[in-house]
Structures are given as structure tokens and as C-alpha cells.
Amino acid sequence: RWVARCGVILLIAEHGPDGEQIAPALLLMRRAERNGDPWSGHVSFPGGRVDPGDASTRDAALRELQEETGMSASNDLVAIGRLSDVLTREHGRNRPMVVSPYVYRTPRALALEPSREAAKLWWEPIAHFAEPDRRKPIVWRVAGLPLRFPSVDVSGARLWGLSLMMVNELIRATGWKAAIQ
């Protein structure tokens, strides 16, 4: 009750929808625009808060994966591991929020239809996160002050913040080379 708990899924595909070999690709989503949501329209991973019916952050992440993408754990998902918890302030509330990222693999990058919570879903080659030309700072206002944060261009959008921290840890853990700032 002292912290909000969330779970997210970093889903890696090895093949495209037709079975063709692709470089490993990571499932990304652009969040739907919602009033009062400070992260509306931002790039993230499927996931969300733990509901009372969820037994764990992993269960919450898998439930949210299905709600946001239509993909369920029965879609040949293989659990690879877990990345470090990320602590942040839950915006609009006084208690902190802990985000637990889980890494899964799927043999095929399924064509997915976004739900009402996701404006767009796509598979981004992991190699793109390692390209130095794609890494540029983003300006985000905190208490009215413009602050610069690292970000990566992914298909015309910007991945930054907690999501980029997770990608950076994934790249380090897997040995994929990247120009991590």
C-alpha cells in the first residue's frame, strides 16, 4: 500500500509474421491520448498497474499485454528473465511507483491491432537502439524548467525515460552493442 506496483513486458521477436528472419525486434507501443495522463502519446512497452485480481507484477504485465495488444501468454511466449525494478514518482499522487520489467521471446512478430489504450503497435529492430545517430536528447519540462534527457528515435517517435533505461539494461545484459549514454 506504500507504493504503486506496475509490470511491463519487453517482447523480443526473432522472425517476421511470415517466418522470414529479422534481426531481433522489440515490441513498442505509442500510448493513446488521454486527458490527465502525462504520458499520453509517449512510446512505451505493454504493461500497467497491478490490479487487485493480479497475483504479481508479472501477472499484471501479462494481463496488460493481452488488453493492449490482444496477445496472450498462450501465443508461444517464452520467459527469458527480469530486468531491474525501476522506481519513480507516480505522477499526480504522492506515493512512489515501482515498475518491474519482464523480458519474453516470441518466435514470430505477430501483426497486432492496438486496443483503445494503444494508438500504435510496432516491432522495432533492436539494432536501431544501438545506432548513435538515433540517440539525441529530448527536452522535457519539469516544474516549468526545460531539462534534457537521453532519447532514441524509433520509427519517427522518441523512446526515453524509464523505457529507455529498460532498453539500455536489456542491451547491456544481452551483449548487444550500443552507444548507451
Side-chain angles (χ1 to χ4, degrees):
R1 68 184 179 143
W2 301 108
V3 298
R5 297 291 308 209
C6 299
V8 298
I9 301 285
L10 282 75
L11 184 58
I12 300 169
E14 298 169 359
H15 296 87
D18 299 324
E20 74 276 8
Q21 182 68 38
I22 60 172
L26 193 57
L27 178 63
L28 296 178
M29 68 179 250
R30 181 186 294 273
R31 295 169 55 103
E33 298 282 338
R34 288 188 346 209
N35 284 335
D37 180 358
W39 311 118
S40 284
H42 287 239
V43 177
S44 67
F45 302 108
R49 279 197 196 121
V50 174
D51 283 348
D54 296 323
S56 66
T57 53
R58 180 187 300 266
D59 287 347
L62 290 169
R63 176 185 50 76
E64 289 282 348
L65 176 70
Q66 185 162 8
E67 289 176 8
E68 294 170 349
T69 71
M71 179 183 279
S72 72
S74 63
N75 285 97
D76 296 326
L77 299 186
V78 176
I80 293 175
R82 188 170 186 266
L83 299 174
S84 301
D85 283 345
V86 182
L87 178 67
T88 186
R89 187 175 65 81
E90 188 178 18
H91 295 273
R93 297 191 173 107
N94 291 329
R95 64 184 183 156
M97 180 170 62
V98 177
V99 182
S100 300
Y102 297 92
V103 182
Y104 279 77
R105 180 180 60 79
T106 182
R108 285 194 166 63
L110 301 174
L112 301 168
E113 290 295 322
S115 72
R116 63 179 179 77
E117 296 179 43
K120 179 182 175 185
L121 298 165
W122 76 97
W123 297 91
E124 188 75 25
I126 291 175
H128 288 180
F129 299 103
E131 295 174 9
D133 292 347
R134 291 178 177 269
R135 289 187 169 251
K136 297 184 174 108
I138 188 171
V139 176
W140 181 255
R141 291 189 138 348
V142 176
L145 298 172
L147 299 176
R148 294 166 56 98
F149 294 95
S151 76
V152 176
D153 176 40
V154 288
S155 299
R158 306 300 299 171
L159 180 79
W160 71 287
L162 299 180
S163 298
L164 181 57
M165 290 169 57
M166 293 173 203
V167 167
N168 289 344
E169 183 179 357
L170 177 68
I171 289 170
R172 283 190 303 270
T174 58
W176 284 307
K177 302 296 179 210
I180 299 174
Q181 300 174 344

